[in-house]
Amino acid sequence: MRVRQLTAAAAALLLAAVLGGCSEDQAPARTPAPAPAPTSADPTTSTGDVRPADRTDVRDGGTLRWAVDGVPATLDVYQDAATADSALIAHALYPSLFRPDEHGRLVPDPDYLEGAESTPPGRLPQVVTYRLNRHAVWSDGTPLSAADLTAQRAALSGLDPAYRGAHPAGYDAIDSITAGADPHEVRVTFRRPCAEWRALFGPLYPAAETATADAFNRPLTGGPHPTAGPYAVSRYDAAGGTVTVVRNPLWWGDRPKSDRIDFLATPPERRLDALDQDRLDIAPLTAAVDRAAPAPATAPAGLTPVPVPGAVPPAPVPPAAAPEAAARALRRAEALPGVTVHRAAAASLTQLTLNAARAPLTDPALRRALVRAVDRRRIAEAALGPLGLPAAPLGSHLLAGDQDGYRDNSAAAGPDAAARLLDRAGWKRPGAGRTRAKDGRELALTLLVPAGSATAGRTAEALTADLAESGVAVRAVTAPADTFVRDHLAAGDYDLALFSWPAGASPAGEQRPAYAKPRPDADGALDPGGNYGRSGTEEIDRLFDRAAAELDPAARLDLLQEADVRIWQLGHSVPLYQRPELVGVRADLAGAGAWGFAWPRFQDIGRNA
């Protein structure tokens, strides 16, 4: 499982894990939506930029120094306290039966899985037979077995409320888990079809950590916890800001190239200095560049400013300073000696969301007109061009540009120009350059953007200019990361909002909450759940549910494409671009970079011989 993150441009805001990846809805055959006509050629994007590792050219030994935001409060990615750093370190320590490749496809990890097979489409009940690697053992010598899968299913299915934390899609669809012909074979029987079964058991934790609610609810940090990765924890120092992992002596796969990895808590604003001073080898730099602080004003030569009690503090930095500071930080990163800046599109989809519960956007005709008014290519150029990335606009709400099955469905928004649609909706323009109005009300909207983000700032400026050309007045309103979701998205306090959703390998389960039709809660109030746009239909819900239950890959993709077409037609949101990802890596390191969909293969990362 990837820890899902809602990112306000470059700042990560963690959300709860998604639900509902396997459906009980056995609907009749669908009526396909017409396939949109292809649009004009756009620049292509690449999710991930990693220097390949030829193990024969990588020398043995040495220590990797890897920047993280902080020492995680837990390494169990299913607990509420988990962060992206929890997932990063967990992948060095714990098994995942499947892992995503560079195009977001889940493929078996041979270190843990010799093979897996599901019953064919149409045959019920669905049974998946896993063949575990016979050499795979936990660090206490216990082989991986059906007991581990059984305990994890109990912890994550949601059937026992004593287990706190996430309930990822699919575990509640499991009916039974049994040993097969021998201890290395495991049979999982589902009570309803589960198309995205490959996303289960990744990471997989030992039964000792999940068999009881008390064990599962405890933070998983340092100490004598069984692991089964190429590395094992040797130091977990939250106060000192360090997690150290060393080679696992019982590891059965390719011998890790590096002796140890130090994960070092390093705030983004200090990472360029740390790379420059040779104190880091791998450092994510997206936030360091995107949120770079402007250089402080300098006093005249020979004068040292002295704080004066009661003095008025300096004026806040003007908005234009953020892009200038970001450009300066990027130039510095590119000039660091012995460091390569890997840049790529992240597995994260930035979109403009329209709040359908707030007038005047309650009118679907107005929402559809605004969708047509956005020039996605222009927005992508403004956001990505300054970072040296292709200006590749997104045409799908559900899949990234180079993800398996991607299709640009933007033509589903219709052929009519925005101006014509706005006129039809009753919003008339009193004159050239003037703001449209209806019934005495001007078409003036707020745009919620994350504070301090240069990429979001460039995007907001381009969106404001775009919509102004159609007679729509837009005023950007910034919010800090700690209140962006709670006080604005979840509360419905915005008209338009700019943020990102992760793109994962299991879109039917992972993306459904963002587009599910809001339902009344116990008090009768509309509960949007994870759908911050607050618009949805029963048809879109059914399409997601049928995709989650469709075991035929081609038919499942058709259902997802049809759902995306309907989302375009609803005027829910506008996919804009994939969020940028920048990672600074020592030039002599192989196997490291911007991983995109994939996870680091830790045992291959090391210094060139």
Side-chain angles (χ1 to χ4, degrees):
M1 168 197 168
R2 292 177 67 110
V3 173
R4 285 181 53 80
Q5 292 177 302
L6 171 67
T7 53
L13 305 172
L14 290 180
L15 288 181
V18 297
L19 303 174
C22 304
S23 175
E24 298 183 19
D25 181 14
Q26 298 299 307
R30 63 191 174 85
T31 301
T39 57
S40 57
D42 283 316
T44 57
T45 188
S46 176
T47 306
D49 173 24
V50 178
R51 180 180 179 184
D54 184 339
R55 288 180 56 86
T56 60
D57 295 333
V58 180
R59 68 173 182 259
D60 290 324
T63 298
L64 296 178
R65 301 159 301 173
W66 200 312
V68 294
D69 289 335
V71 172
T74 182
L75 292 176
D76 186 337
V77 303
Y78 307 112
Q79 293 179 346
D80 291 337
T83 66
D85 291 330
S86 302
L88 171 68
I89 301 173
H91 287 312
L93 305 172
Y94 295 100
S96 288
L97 301 188
F98 287 80
R99 58 186 294 137
D101 68 8
E102 64 274 17
H103 295 295
R105 297 169 296 210
L106 287 170
V107 296
D109 188 332
D111 285 330
Y112 304 107
L113 194 61
E114 293 180 359
E117 185 176 2
S118 175
T119 48
R123 183 184 300 175
L124 297 177
Q126 180 189 4
V127 178
V128 174
T129 303
Y130 298 91
R131 186 73 187 172
L132 302 177
N133 187 323
R134 64 187 60 250
H135 303 293
V137 296
W138 298 104
S139 53
D140 61 4
T142 304
L144 272 64
S145 70
D148 303 306
L149 279 70
T150 299
Q152 184 147 314
R153 179 257 181 179
L156 302 182
S157 66
L159 299 178
D160 186 346
Y163 288 91
R164 299 192 299 269
H167 301 141
Y171 288 96
D172 64 334
I174 296 174
D175 184 58
S176 65
I177 299 177
T178 59
D182 60 53
H184 307 294
E185 185 176 283
V186 181
R187 291 170 56 87
V188 177
T189 301
F190 291 85
R191 63 184 181 88
R192 63 178 187 266
C194 185
E196 294 174 342
W197 57 269
R198 293 173 182 82
L200 302 175
F201 309 115
L204 174 67
Y205 292 92
E209 306 291 354
T210 56
T212 68
D214 286 343
F216 178 79
N217 294 337
R218 285 194 298 267
L220 183 59
T221 55
H225 299 284
T227 57
Y231 287 91
V233 174
S234 70
R235 181 186 180 196
Y236 209 94
D237 183 2
T242 302
V243 177
T244 296
V245 299
V246 297
R247 286 173 175 155
N248 177 0
L250 296 184
W251 178 246
W252 56 94
D254 291 334
R255 175 180 168 83
K257 287 295 184 177
S258 297
D259 292 325
R260 79 180 203 186
I261 305 174
D262 288 336
F263 294 98
L264 304 172
T266 311
E269 65 270 17
R270 297 181 183 175
R271 292 180 186 176
L272 291 177
D273 286 340
L275 284 169
D276 195 21
Q277 297 161 11
D278 196 18
R279 292 187 283 112
L280 288 174
D281 298 308
I282 301 173
L285 296 178
T286 308
V289 170
D290 189 58
R291 296 180 173 272
T298 56
L303 295 179
T304 303
V306 178
V308 179
V312 177
V317 176
E324 294 170 2
R328 185 166 53 251
L330 179 59
R331 290 194 298 270
R332 184 187 177 197
E334 293 170 334
L336 289 173
V339 173
T340 299
V341 177
H342 293 258
R343 68 191 87 201
S348 184
L349 314 180
T350 299
Q351 64 177 223
L352 176 70
T353 294
L354 289 70
N355 185 355
R358 186 150 145 172
L361 297 175
T362 51
D363 180 5
L366 175 57
R367 296 199 307 272
R368 288 191 289 268
L370 294 177
V371 167
R372 289 289 295 140
V374 175
D375 184 340
R376 294 174 299 115
R377 184 180 298 189
R378 175 182 182 178
I379 304 302
E381 288 172 351
L384 304 178
L387 298 174
L389 288 166
L394 271 175
S396 172
H397 296 83
L398 308 180
L399 299 171
D402 60 347
Q403 192 169 359
D404 191 39
Y406 172 83
R407 189 176 79 188
D408 185 340
N409 290 315
S410 59
D416 289 340
R420 178 176 296 179
L421 294 174
L422 287 164
D423 285 340
R424 285 182 192 163
W427 294 93
K428 305 297 184 179
R429 199 164 195 174
R434 302 281 298 278
T435 300
R436 291 177 180 270
K438 179 180 180 180
D439 299 331
R441 174 178 178 171
E442 285 194 334
L443 187 49
L445 304 171
T446 60
L447 171 61
L448 179 67
V449 297
S453 166
T455 304
R458 292 192 300 269
T459 304
E461 288 180 3
L463 278 168
T464 299
D466 236 6
L467 294 173
E469 291 175 3
S470 295
V472 183
V474 173
R475 178 175 61 89
V477 177
T478 61
D482 58 348
T483 65
F484 193 91
V485 173
R486 182 193 66 224
D487 294 349
H488 299 280
L489 292 185
D493 183 23
Y494 74 94
D495 295 326
L496 311 173
L498 181 67
F499 59 90
S500 302
W501 282 110
S506 305
E510 292 176 348
Q511 302 287 6
R512 187 189 191 279
Y515 305 101
K517 182 179 178 179
R519 308 286 179 181
D521 61 17
D523 297 326
L526 195 67
D527 180 8
N531 182 352
Y532 297 122
R534 293 167 168 78
S535 62
T537 67
E538 300 286 353
E539 181 187 16
I540 291 172
D541 289 355
R542 284 195 298 270
L543 288 167
F544 273 112
D545 291 341
R546 292 166 59 194
E550 178 53 71
L551 300 184
D552 180 277
R556 180 168 68 254
L557 182 59
D558 284 346
L559 288 165
L560 290 172
Q561 300 290 10
E562 188 174 351
D564 186 44
V565 166
R566 301 301 182 225
I567 295 167
W568 274 106
Q569 294 170 343
L570 183 64
H572 175 282
S573 51
V574 186
L576 298 175
Y577 53 82
Q578 287 177 243
R579 183 174 61 83
E581 183 177 12
L582 307 174
V583 182
V585 178
R586 291 276 156 212
D588 63 345
L589 276 187
W595 278 275
F597 289 109
W599 301 330
R601 184 172 158 83
F602 290 94
Q603 57 267 48
D604 290 349
I605 304 174
R607 303 187 187 281
N608 289 318

